Amino acid sequence: MSYGTNLIDGWRQIGVYTGRILKGTKPADLPIVQASKFELIINHQTARILGLELPSSLLARADEVIE
């Protein structure tokens, strides 16, 4: 199971920062941006192998379930 920031959005934000720096903004003047999109990924196959029974409500809320 993994819960964390969306990597694609993180890379997109890096591109925005790079663009601002290339346009002349000082890196010290850039604001710190906290991630706003998080995702939950569950490896259901591994959970079964380990003998863990996950509630169906948790599986329904996951952004991605690996069977």
Side-chain angles (χ1 to χ4, degrees):
M1 195 171 357
S2 170
Y3 182 73
T5 61
N6 184 309
L7 292 177
I8 294 172
D9 284 345
W11 288 108
R12 187 174 296 124
Q13 188 61 42
I14 290 171
V16 170
Y17 270 61
T18 304
R20 286 180 167 182
I21 291 170
L22 291 175
K23 289 180 183 177
T25 305
K26 295 179 187 176
D29 294 338
L30 291 173
I32 297 174
V33 178
Q34 184 175 359
S36 60
K37 186 174 181 183
F38 295 87
E39 59 186 5
L40 173 64
I41 300 172
I42 298 174
N43 190 328
H44 196 214
Q45 180 180 5
T46 301
R48 271 190 251 125
I49 291 170
L50 293 173
L52 302 173
E53 190 171 323
L54 301 175
S56 58
S57 60
L58 180 63
L59 293 172
R61 289 178 187 231
D63 295 303
E64 182 180 345
V65 177
I66 301 170
E67 292 292 335

